[in-house]
């Protein structure tokens, strides 16, 4: 008989993929777990039950969430839905107005902010400008270029013949060129601009000359606006070195445009002076449809097949350099904007199975792409939205299956730990404002706006308070007909069912928290037996397990007979309907019975009690046959 004591003090490798169950030699095995659900990993190694979600509003349909921070005191959440834009601050709706995008466009919308203006673009929508004029006054309108970029789309041998050099004229093309969408689009002949008024036929259009033309002879020296209903609008955008950067379009997917310095809507390249506009294409042996542009130490360009660095100090037509860095590729089915985490750029890979960290190395003077989800690939399944909580240092990634994967990332401390958050519904979209993480969540056939709240232990929850105890609590129409958890006066109660938007509790209370319960799970990896008895499997018996807890008010542990609640109350505390006192210290539990399946965990924490729980370490005493 061999006795052994194992001490687990860290979960800083997070939940690891089942494919690693045969690799106890890895550091991730020693610091990882088999299941970590509805918990967050602390940088010191402990595990904490996640906060609940506060219900804020019902949404009219699918949504994109955008953080809009005007200053440190005025931060707004913009909710984009079908033909509508809503503005929230401090859980309240302060403005809403009609918008030009449709529900089908939402996944591919890209955006960037400068001061009081948000610029929004989509390849099938004229770029929009959302402007805050006051706390409750907002406007939205297409932006207009001071000087738009131009491009030659037609064959080089197609000629245009103007009927005159000024005023209203007729343009005649030598081949089929014009379509109905050209109405309102600018052309240039010999560098001089004219505006198409109407299309007569595929070879003829009426136009108004804006700059006097040189003559009326047929010429191949002409081009048309790079962006239009005919050829598409910008795919993505950002600000970099006081320039507006536009990336890709429907028919020019690999092209970049940089505005003039300090003149954000002027894309006239002029004569190539340092402050004038820049335009170039990404040309290589791999697909380069631009998916995102990001302003970091350099201008970073993320395409469907590669990642690029655009450098220059500063960027000018003469100093600009373009270098391909890595070959990962970004998501193409929807727009998942990269996020900055401590100077590194985090982006979702095209495969849908990786979250990569794009970092610059001073030694090699180039970027590297490291897969942050290498040991937890089962938790990364087609990301649809991503945000970073700077206060808790948590990266949240919503997946296509409605789950939420959370990464605790401390690079210097070598902490890269994934967990999974689950709720009675599906996470659809995310945004972070000042440490508050917002989510669009689909529940019971409807979509709601919710946010993580440290004061809550339930989801889709609301709180209430009254000067005197009351038994009926209303305002719960969003949970109609559902069984809900209740916390009254800080103590859990029996589940209730919402009828006519209210619940009745007994005995009454002056404060309640009502919402949907969720279960947190902590399950370790199978024990590594080779250190004690060689590589062969053998029956093992858990003698006892000691759980070191911090400020914990509820704990349920499964030692082989299902989850059993652990009592913390002492003789000098009230026993009924009172908030349990937080417990800090060790809890030692005895276990019985032998286990012949070496793949089964020795213990498991599983509990839906809506109260705080923090696990710091676990010590297990075992016996094995020799």
């Amino acid at each position: 008989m061999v006795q052994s004591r194992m001490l687990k003090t860290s979960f800083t490798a997070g939940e690891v993929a089942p494919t690693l169950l045969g690799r106890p030699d890895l550091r991730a095995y020693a610091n990882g777990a088999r299941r970590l659900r509805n918990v967050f990993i602390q940088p010191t190694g402990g595990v904490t039950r996640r906060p609940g979600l506060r219900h804020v509003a019902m949404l009219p349909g699918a949504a994109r969430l955008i953080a809009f921070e005007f200053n440190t005191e005025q931060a707004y959440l913009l909710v984009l839905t079908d033909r509508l834009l809503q503005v929230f601050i401090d859980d309240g709706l302060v403005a809403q107005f009609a918008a030009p995008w449709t529900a089908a466009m939402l996944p591919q919308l890209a955006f960037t902010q400068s001061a009081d203006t948000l610029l929004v673009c989509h390849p099938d929508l004229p770029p929009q400008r959302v402007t805050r004029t006051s706390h409750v006054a907002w406007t939205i309108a297409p932006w207009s270029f001071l000087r738009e970029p131009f491009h030659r789309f037609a064959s080089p041998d197609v000629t245009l013949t103007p009927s005159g050099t000024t005023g209203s004229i007729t343009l005649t093309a030598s081949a089929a060129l014009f379509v109905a969408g050209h109405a309102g689009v600018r052309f240039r002949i010999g560098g001089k601009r004219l505006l198409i008024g109407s299309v007569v036929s595929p070879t003829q259009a009426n136009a108004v000359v804006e700059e006097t033309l040189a003559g009326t002879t047929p010429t191949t020296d002409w081009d048309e606006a790079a962006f239009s209903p005919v050829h598409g609008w910008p795919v993505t955008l950002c600000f970099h070195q006081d320039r507006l950067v536009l990336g890709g379009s429907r028919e020019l997917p690999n092209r970049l445009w940089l505005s003039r310095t300090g003149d954000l809507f002027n894309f006239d390249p002029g004569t190539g002076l340092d402050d004038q506009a820049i335009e170039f294409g990404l040309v290589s042996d791999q697909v380069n449809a631009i998916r995102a542009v990001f302003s970091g130490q350099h201008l970073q360009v993320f395409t469907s097949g590669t990642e690029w660095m655009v450098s220059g100090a500063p960027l000018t037509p003469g100093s600009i350099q373009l270098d391909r860095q890595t070959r990962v590729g970004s998501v193409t089915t929807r727009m998942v904007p990269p996020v900055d985490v401590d100077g590194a750029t985090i982006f979702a890979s095209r495969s849908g199975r990786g979250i990569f960290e794009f970092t610059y190395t001073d030694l090699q003077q180039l970027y590297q792409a490291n897969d942050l989800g290498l040991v937890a690939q089962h938790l990364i399944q087609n990301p649809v939205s991503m945000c970073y909580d700077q206060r808790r240092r948590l990266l949240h990634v919503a997946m296509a299956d409605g789950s939420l994967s959370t990464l605790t990332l401390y690079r210097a401390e070598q902490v890269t730990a994934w967990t999974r958050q689950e709720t009675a519904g599906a996470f659809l979209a995310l945004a972070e404002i000042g440490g508050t993480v917002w989510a669009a969540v689909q529940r019971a056939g409807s979509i709601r706006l919710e946010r993580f709240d440290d004061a809550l232990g339930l989801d889709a929850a609301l709180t209430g308070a009254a000067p005197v105890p009351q038994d009926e609590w209303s305002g719960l129409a969003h949970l109609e007909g559902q069984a809900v958890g209740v916390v009254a006066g800080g103590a859990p109660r029996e589940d209730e069912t919402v009828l006519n938007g209210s619940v009745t509790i007994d005995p009454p209370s002056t404060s309640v928290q009502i919402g949907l319960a969720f279960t947190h799970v902590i399950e370790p990896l199978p024990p590594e037996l080779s250190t004690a008895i060689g590589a062969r499997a053998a029956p093992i018996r858990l003698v006892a397990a000691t759980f070191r807890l911090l400020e914990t008010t509820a704990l349920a542990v499964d030692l082989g007979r299902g989850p059993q609640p652990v009592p913390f109350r002492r003789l000098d505390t009230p026993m009924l309907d009172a908030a349990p006192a937080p417990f800090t210290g060790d809890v030692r539990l005895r276990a019985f019975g032998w286990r012949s399946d070496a793949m089964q965990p020795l213990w498991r924490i599983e509990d839906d009690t809506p109260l705080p729980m923090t696990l710091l370490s676990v010590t297990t005493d075992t016996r094995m046959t020799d």
Side-chain angles (χ1 to χ4, degrees):
M1 190 75 67
V2 178
Q3 296 188 8
S4 174
R5 169 168 288 184
M6 292 177 284
L7 175 63
K8 186 172 184 61
T9 60
S10 174
F11 293 87
T12 53
E15 181 174 327
V16 302
T19 53
L20 293 182
L21 292 179
R23 294 296 308 275
D25 57 309
L26 296 179
R27 176 181 174 274
Y29 198 97
N31 295 327
R34 190 169 189 173
R35 284 172 65 88
L36 292 170
R37 303 299 165 91
N38 288 320
V39 295
F40 292 158
I41 304 296
Q42 297 180 341
T44 52
V47 180
T48 300
R49 176 181 167 94
R50 71 162 172 86
L53 289 162
R54 179 176 292 276
H55 174 78
V56 177
M58 302 294 290
L59 299 179
R64 284 288 298 274
L65 306 183
I66 300 177
F68 186 99
E69 298 188 46
F70 180 65
N71 55 40
T72 57
E73 298 179 353
Q74 293 177 301
Y76 304 84
L77 177 72
L78 306 187
V79 180
L80 286 62
T81 55
D82 186 27
R83 304 287 184 181
L84 183 69
L85 191 150
Q86 296 174 297
V87 182
F88 288 83
I89 185 169
D90 295 334
D91 295 354
L93 177 65
V94 298
Q96 66 176 15
F97 47 93
W101 46 75
T102 64
M105 292 179 179
L106 293 176
Q108 295 286 7
L109 286 179
F111 50 87
T112 190
Q113 181 190 346
S114 175
D116 62 353
T117 300
L118 181 79
L119 303 182
V120 182
C121 67
H122 184 281
D124 297 323
L125 179 72
Q128 302 294 309
R129 185 172 184 166
V130 180
T131 305
R132 174 197 177 277
T133 55
S134 72
H135 185 62
V136 297
W138 298 69
T139 60
I140 181 170
W143 86 47
S144 58
F145 289 99
L146 181 63
R147 290 279 182 169
E148 68 264 66
F150 287 82
H151 187 78
R152 177 63 178 261
F153 293 96
S155 173
D157 58 354
V158 175
T159 64
L160 277 184
T161 305
S163 64
T165 59
T166 61
S168 298
I169 65 171
T170 298
L171 290 178
T172 302
S174 62
L177 170 66
F178 300 110
V179 297
H182 274 120
V185 175
R186 279 189 174 82
F187 275 57
R188 290 191 309 187
I189 296 179
K192 305 300 183 179
R193 302 193 306 166
L194 59 157
L195 182 67
I196 303 296
S198 61
V199 174
V200 179
S201 70
T203 59
Q204 195 172 76
N206 297 319
V208 175
V209 176
E210 296 180 331
E211 297 173 336
T212 302
L213 303 181
T216 59
T217 58
T219 178
T220 58
D221 183 14
W222 65 270
D223 52 15
E224 60 183 293
F227 306 124
S228 69
V230 180
H231 302 293
W233 306 95
V235 169
T236 186
L237 71 174
C238 75
F239 295 105
H240 184 74
Q241 292 187 7
D242 207 21
R243 297 178 185 262
L244 174 59
V245 181
L246 304 179
S249 68
R250 188 174 64 241
E251 294 197 17
L252 296 171
N254 67 335
R255 205 158 190 83
L256 275 174
W257 298 267
L258 287 75
S259 73
R260 290 195 171 194
T261 302
D263 196 355
L264 301 180
F265 297 101
N266 188 340
F267 287 82
D268 183 4
T271 58
L273 298 179
D274 284 355
D275 65 339
Q276 292 180 332
I278 307 171
E279 176 185 345
F280 57 90
L282 307 179
V283 181
S284 72
D285 59 349
Q286 194 168 352
V287 176
N288 291 305
I290 296 173
R291 299 302 303 152
V293 286
F294 190 87
S295 178
Q297 181 174 348
H298 307 95
L299 176 61
Q300 302 163 16
V301 183
F302 297 89
T303 78
S304 56
T306 55
E307 291 72 49
W308 297 74
M309 173 180 71
V310 181
S311 59
L315 286 180
T316 68
S319 70
I320 192 167
Q321 294 185 7
L322 177 66
D323 298 289
R324 183 173 56 194
Q325 300 296 293
T326 54
R327 294 174 178 259
V328 176
S330 297
V331 176
T332 60
T333 55
R334 62 185 301 118
M335 188 63 65
V336 183
V339 299
D340 177 81
V341 178
D342 297 337
T345 306
I346 309 298
F347 70 99
S349 70
R350 181 176 182 175
S351 68
R353 300 300 305 273
I355 299 295
F356 281 77
E357 180 183 50
F358 195 58
T359 55
Y360 187 75
T361 59
D362 291 323
L363 180 63
Q364 296 175 306
Q365 298 289 297
L366 52 78
Y367 282 86
Q368 295 179 343
N370 305 309
D371 190 354
L372 296 175
L374 187 62
V375 300
Q377 288 190 345
H378 65 300
L379 298 182
I380 302 171
Q381 302 285 342
N382 301 315
V384 297
S385 187
M386 185 163 57
C387 75
Y388 181 61
D389 180 354
Q390 178 67 45
R391 182 163 61 90
R392 294 186 180 87
R393 297 174 65 92
L394 298 175
L395 177 73
H396 297 285
V397 186
M399 305 298 171
D401 63 0
S403 66
L404 182 68
S405 294
T406 299
L407 172 66
T408 302
L409 181 61
Y410 285 76
R411 192 180 300 107
E413 294 78 8
Q414 296 184 329
V415 177
T416 305
W418 288 93
T419 63
R420 179 169 177 157
Q421 320 308 323
E422 299 171 338
T423 187
F427 293 94
L428 303 180
L430 304 169
E432 184 272 341
I433 304 174
T436 299
V437 175
W438 298 78
V441 185
Q442 185 174 31
R443 303 185 191 276
S446 61
I447 298 177
R448 301 99 182 277
L449 178 63
E450 302 179 4
R451 64 174 175 84
F452 282 103
D453 188 332
D454 290 336
L456 300 179
L458 299 164
D459 286 346
L462 289 176
T463 55
V468 296
Q470 66 181 51
D471 56 1
E472 183 174 347
W473 297 87
S474 59
L476 302 169
H478 67 290
L479 296 173
E480 183 65 31
Q482 298 187 62
V484 295
V486 178
V487 178
R493 297 282 188 90
E494 294 288 336
D495 288 355
E496 302 287 348
T497 300
V498 179
L499 298 175
N500 298 320
S502 64
V503 299
T504 301
I505 62 174
D506 184 25
S509 177
T510 58
S511 64
V512 295
Q513 173 191 152
I514 301 173
L516 301 174
F518 62 88
T519 301
H520 64 264
V521 178
I522 305 172
E523 181 180 305
L525 289 160
E528 206 286 280
L529 306 180
S530 61
T531 57
I533 60 172
R536 67 184 181 88
I540 182 172
R541 175 189 169 190
L542 175 64
V543 177
T546 302
F547 300 87
R548 178 158 293 179
L549 307 172
L550 176 66
E551 298 293 317
T552 294
T553 50
L555 179 70
V557 180
D558 180 3
L559 297 181
R561 299 182 180 181
Q564 302 295 319
V566 177
F568 293 128
R569 293 189 184 277
R570 295 173 178 168
L571 296 177
D572 59 347
T573 61
M575 295 297 293
L576 298 175
D577 302 318
F583 175 82
T584 297
D586 292 343
V587 172
R588 182 175 175 84
L589 303 177
R590 303 283 298 183
F592 300 94
W594 290 85
R595 304 184 189 188
S596 58
D597 186 356
M599 293 297 290
Q600 292 300 313
L602 296 178
W603 54 269
R604 173 188 175 96
I605 293 176
E606 182 175 357
D607 196 3
D608 65 356
T609 305
L611 295 175
M613 189 284 305
T614 297
L615 175 67
L616 299 180
S617 67
V618 181
T619 303
T620 54
D621 296 311
T622 60
R623 291 179 182 174
M624 292 167 279
T625 57
D626 52 15

